Amino acid sequence: MRASHGIRLPLLVLLVVIAAAQGCTWGSKNGVPWWGSKKEKEEAAANLEKYGPVAFKRVEIIKMEGKYAAEGGPQEKQKVADDLARSIQTEQDPLVRMEMVRTLATIPNESAASVLYNGMKDPDPEVRIAVCKAWGDRAAIAAKAGGGTTPQTSETDAAARLLSEALAGDTNEDVRLAAARALGKVRNDPRAVGALGIALKDQNPALQFRAVASLKEVSGRDFGNDVGKWQQYVDSVVPPSQQPKAIAGRPQDTK
């Protein structure tokens, strides 16, 4: 049902709520509501401490937009994706950008995918970690829709390629771990297997362990924690001559 002036009721409600969150403290103390359950109050207080009062308001607005997109149809999802795509270009707070990435991860359209594509270049490693998880989540959703295998789409292709590049070339070890973890969600793509082979050869035991766990996911096999046997499996799927190599001289984080 549409409102009398042509604007849909859910959108009208969202705009009113956003306006209240941006410019009004009615019913709250520094953004922590006096109404709601004890858990909701504690979560709001924790987020306020984490983000600070200004960023906290922006994060709450983004969460509202995410809920609006989740409950709406393609038009609503497109509106939210376009809005966040514009906002993230000028957003200075990495914690807010992380929340934008989390919201866009759940929106299955090209606008959201484009932001997540560029997010791999974000100067803050925590944002890049969130982007890695987002691509893994999108691949997992595709696998579920495909009955356990990941159908080859533009987005799953991007997930395999971008996560492989992050694992091979990011300077931050936590980002590389996040990429290895997310690659475990990319089924039916030899590039994921080949990229995880990079981690098997890495001197970081945590990265090796993560690669084994992800290879168990993508292959459905279990060679325990025997790195040698897992390397043999990788070689059987992707010939050594075609396996990606770790990139030397990775660019450093700007933070």
Side-chain angles (χ1 to χ4, degrees), residues 161-194:
R161 180 169 56 84
L162 293 170
L163 291 170
S164 297
E165 289 174 357
L167 179 55
D170 202 284
T171 182
N172 187 282
E173 289 301 301
D174 289 334
V175 176
R176 298 185 71 209
L177 280 166
R181 182 180 295 106
L183 281 167
K185 310 296 182 184
V186 183
R187 311 284 178 84
N188 197 34
D189 194 311
R191 285 173 300 179
V193 175

Side-chain angles (χ1 to χ4, degrees), residues 73-118:
Q75 185 174 348
E76 288 75 19
K77 288 177 171 58
Q78 188 65 53
K79 179 185 182 306
V80 172
D82 289 343
D83 178 59
L84 293 179
R86 287 190 298 269
S87 299
I88 202 169
Q89 295 180 35
T90 56
E91 178 55 59
Q92 298 298 310
D93 194 317
L95 292 172
V96 179
R97 296 202 302 276
M98 287 167 62
E99 191 61 41
M100 291 176 171
V101 165
R102 294 188 190 103
T103 299
L104 289 166
T106 65
I107 300 178
N109 60 34
E110 289 300 320
S111 296
S114 177
V115 175
L116 296 176
Y117 177 90
N118 291 323

Side-chain angles (χ1 to χ4, degrees), residues 19-255:
Q22 286 178 316
C24 160
T25 58
W26 174 82
S28 68
K29 181 179 180 181
N30 294 327
V32 179
W34 53 258
W35 42 263
S37 67
K38 179 180 178 181
K39 180 180 179 181
E40 288 172 326
K41 293 177 184 177
E42 290 175 347
E43 288 179 349
N47 283 334
L48 177 60
E49 182 178 357
K50 176 180 179 181
Y51 295 112
V54 177
F56 172 68
K57 289 183 179 180
R58 296 204 298 276
V59 167
E60 289 302 297
I61 291 170
I62 294 165
K63 288 181 177 179
M64 292 176 198
E65 289 190 287
K67 184 176 181 181
Y68 172 69
E71 295 176 350
Q75 185 174 348
E76 288 75 19
K77 288 177 171 58
Q78 188 65 53
K79 179 185 182 306
V80 172
D82 289 343
D83 178 59
L84 293 179
R86 287 190 298 269
S87 299
I88 202 169
Q89 295 180 35
T90 56
E91 178 55 59
Q92 298 298 310
D93 194 317
L95 292 172
V96 179
R97 296 202 302 276
M98 287 167 62
E99 191 61 41
M100 291 176 171
V101 165
R102 294 188 190 103
T103 299
L104 289 166
T106 65
I107 300 178
N109 60 34
E110 289 300 320
S111 296
S114 177
V115 175
L116 296 176
Y117 177 90
N118 291 323
M120 284 297 197
K121 305 171 187 176
D122 193 282
D124 192 285
E126 293 296 329
V127 178
R128 299 201 300 278
I129 288 171
V131 173
C132 288
K133 185 179 185 305
W135 280 115
D137 290 344
R138 290 168 88 87
I141 291 171
K144 185 176 180 180
T149 60
T150 305
Q152 289 298 311
T153 66
S154 59
E155 288 196 4
T156 55
D157 179 78
R161 180 169 56 84
L162 293 170
L163 291 170
S164 297
E165 289 174 357
L167 179 55
D170 202 284
T171 182
N172 187 282
E173 289 301 301
D174 289 334
V175 176
R176 298 185 71 209
L177 280 166
R181 182 180 295 106
L183 281 167
K185 310 296 182 184
V186 183
R187 311 284 178 84
N188 197 34
D189 194 311
R191 285 173 300 179
V193 175
L196 289 168
I198 294 176
L200 286 178
K201 301 183 185 77
D202 199 271
Q203 295 181 352
N204 184 347
L207 199 56
Q208 287 186 333
F209 182 81
R210 184 63 253 175
V212 167
S214 291
L215 283 167
K216 289 178 182 178
E217 280 191 89
V218 298
S219 70
R221 304 190 184 193
D222 191 351
F223 301 120
N225 293 320
D226 190 325
V227 173
K229 288 184 177 179
W230 280 113
Q231 186 61 62
Q232 290 177 6
Y233 169 75
V234 171
D235 294 344
S236 71
V237 175
V238 183
S241 61
Q242 298 178 21
Q243 291 175 21
K245 302 292 189 296
I247 301 172
R250 304 179 193 119
Q252 297 296 311
D253 293 326
T254 60
K255 64 177 293 185

